[in-house]
Amino acid sequence: MSSSKHSRNFWLGNGVLAVAMLTMMFMGPLSNALGIWAAVMWMVLAAIGVALLMSDKSDEPPASD
C-alpha cells in the first residue's frame, strides 16, 4: 500500500471545514451575538473549505485492492 502525500490545500480545506463544524456546534450562541451573520459566516467557511478540497484533485484515482 502506498502512502499518498496531500497538498497544502487539502490540509487547509480540512482545517477550514473543522472550523465550520465548530461554528455549527456553537450556532446558538453565535446567532445570539451575530444574528444572521453567524449563518453567513458558516456558509462562507463551508464554501471555502470545499473549494480548497476540490482544488486538490490528483490526475487519476488510487487503484483498488
Side-chain angles (χ1 to χ4, degrees):
M1 183 183 281
S2 64
S3 65
S4 63
K5 185 174 180 181
H6 295 290
S7 73
R8 191 180 88 193
N9 284 350
F10 176 80
W11 296 111
L12 281 174
N14 280 322
V16 172
L17 286 174
V19 172
M21 181 188 69
L22 288 173
T23 302
M24 282 301 289
M25 291 176 67
F26 296 105
M27 186 55 79
L30 282 173
S31 181
N32 288 338
L34 301 174
I36 191 68
W37 293 107
V40 172
M41 181 177 65
W42 171 76
M43 286 186 274
V44 169
L45 284 170
I48 291 171
V50 169
L52 284 169
L53 279 178
M54 295 305 291
S55 70
D56 183 42
K57 288 189 174 184
S58 61
D59 291 336
E60 54 186 70
S64 61
D65 290 335

